[in-house]
Amino acid sequence: MLNRGDFNSYIYIPVKNNEQVKKRSQVCFHLLQRLTEKQLAISKDKEEATNPYSNQRDELNAGESSKHVFYQLDELNEGGKKPKGESTKREYKNHIHITIADTVQIKRHMITSFVTKIREELQTQSCFHLFFKNSVDLYRSQKHTKYFCAYSVTPDQQETHLDVLLKKIEKVLGQFGLTNQYANRICHLSLAYTDINLGPLLEENQLNVGDTFWPDIERIVGDNNLCSSSTEESDQFCIYVNRICIRVGNTVYESRFRNLHDHLNVLQSDESADSSTE
């Protein structure tokens, strides 16, 4: 529990919701649904000898898995469904984003100087295009309670753009005695998640369950066309990054980058998030 005057804060790149994101979200959702079906099949195989309804297993798996797979974009979830125990009321809008600095705790009196220092450090930062891999990767949450299907930033883009950005942000964090636990992480955009433990499925496929990241996860479902049929190789997925957001408690502060183009026919950083300017 936070002490009075302490605020959780993290830094991220907001991503605008459009048809491109919805299309990629559907790919992640359907892939994750296949993974959960396979996981449920593993669990049911242990009961096969005593289960008189084993011939209905595929139908049951499909029905059960649909209750445990969710879009990251709330508006895409049918009837606003959420994992059991998760409130339907949000303290703030749930925008999809790319987290670039882990949650840290700052005092109330630090907020103004903290945000100002980040803006000063990034005042010469230019906007840039950020490209993602065309395949889907699987990530596990820090608390080991969820698995996410996501598009990861390509290694060259991570090095060219995000590592430089992270270095500037970590410099400011250090000035306030804070540490970014996400240092050296693979930046990614999560679009679907499940609350089912996929550990046994990963283990069955000879993957290290101790990891927190598994690349090209569509290999497990045995259908190489699952992702490629919806996303052609030429259909590159990228966003135009024109700012970062610093969330402190329920308030969002922006740090905008130097603009290179006024109009681009690409997905841009989200302009719809709540923001606060000093």
Side-chain angles (χ1 to χ4, degrees):
M1 183 176 180
L2 296 179
N3 294 324
R4 183 172 297 178
D6 287 350
F7 292 86
N8 279 330
S9 175
Y10 69 98
I11 301 171
Y12 62 92
I13 296 171
V15 177
K16 188 177 180 65
N17 172 24
N18 72 353
E19 291 305 314
Q20 175 81 312
V21 167
K22 290 180 180 179
K23 177 181 177 181
R24 299 285 175 162
S25 294
Q26 290 169 351
V27 171
C28 287
F29 182 90
H30 293 307
L31 175 56
L32 197 52
Q33 194 164 35
R34 291 285 297 277
L35 292 173
T36 57
E37 288 171 6
K38 284 184 171 291
Q39 174 57 54
L40 289 170
I42 292 174
S43 300
K44 290 185 180 296
D45 277 342
K46 297 178 181 179
E47 306 171 1
E48 190 174 29
T50 57
N51 183 2
Y53 303 104
S54 59
N55 61 331
Q56 299 179 14
R57 187 178 63 188
D58 290 341
E59 182 179 347
L60 289 173
N61 285 349
E64 291 174 18
S65 66
S66 65
K67 300 175 183 177
H68 294 275
V69 181
F70 309 89
Y71 285 102
Q72 198 71 33
L73 277 168
D74 287 342
E75 65 185 70
L76 296 181
N77 289 315
E78 293 183 7
K81 71 168 185 174
K82 295 183 183 297
K84 186 178 294 184
E86 184 171 321
S87 173
T88 57
K89 182 178 180 180
R90 296 283 186 177
E91 291 185 355
Y92 51 81
K93 293 182 180 179
N94 180 28
H95 295 283
I96 55 174
H97 60 272
I98 303 170
T99 302
I100 55 177
D102 194 14
T103 302
V104 295
Q105 294 180 15
I106 64 176
K107 301 289 186 181
R108 182 184 297 274
H109 70 270
M110 296 167 53
I111 296 175
T112 299
S113 56
F114 179 68
V115 173
T116 299
K117 283 290 186 182
I118 289 181
R119 286 173 173 167
E120 290 176 352
E121 189 65 32
L122 299 179
Q123 62 183 341
T124 60
Q125 174 67 47
S126 297
C127 302
F128 56 89
H129 294 86
L130 187 64
F131 287 83
F132 299 87
K133 291 170 47 182
N134 203 44
S135 57
V136 178
D137 299 331
L138 184 71
Y139 290 83
R140 185 174 60 195
S141 66
Q142 289 179 308
K143 295 182 179 180
H144 294 197
T145 57
K146 296 178 182 177
Y147 288 82
F148 299 84
C149 272
Y151 285 94
S152 301
V153 175
T154 61
D156 62 314
Q157 293 283 291
Q158 174 91 25
E159 181 179 359
T160 302
H161 297 300
L162 298 186
D163 287 351
V164 175
L165 187 60
L166 277 166
K167 187 175 181 180
K168 295 178 181 179
I169 291 173
E170 287 171 357
K171 176 182 176 181
V172 176
L173 291 174
Q175 294 173 358
F176 287 83
L178 304 172
T179 303
N180 178 23
Q181 299 297 328
Y182 276 4
N184 301 319
R185 78 193 299 262
I186 301 173
C187 291
H188 57 276
L189 177 62
S190 298
L191 294 175
Y193 65 96
T194 182
D195 55 4
I196 287 180
N197 177 23
L198 299 179
L201 175 63
L202 296 170
E203 190 171 23
E204 184 178 84
N205 285 270
Q206 300 182 335
L207 296 175
N208 185 359
V209 295
D211 290 340
T212 57
F213 159 72
W214 300 270
D216 305 329
I217 199 64
E218 63 267 21
R219 293 176 298 174
I220 287 185
V221 302
D223 185 356
N224 294 328
N225 295 321
L226 187 61
C227 293
S228 60
S229 62
S230 300
T231 56
E232 300 297 333
E233 287 293 332
S234 59
D235 185 18
Q236 289 186 309
F237 184 26
C238 76
I239 63 174
Y240 182 66
V241 181
N242 58 13
R243 62 178 176 152
I244 63 163
C245 289
I246 308 109
R247 184 179 294 281
V248 182
N250 293 333
T251 304
V252 177
Y253 302 84
E254 294 180 352
S255 179
R256 290 186 172 271
F257 300 161
R258 293 171 56 192
N259 198 12
L260 297 178
H261 306 283
D262 291 328
H263 301 286
L264 288 172
N265 188 26
V266 295
L267 179 63
Q268 297 189 21
S269 296
D270 187 17
E271 297 289 346
S272 62
D274 296 333
S275 63
S276 176
T277 55
E278 298 175 335

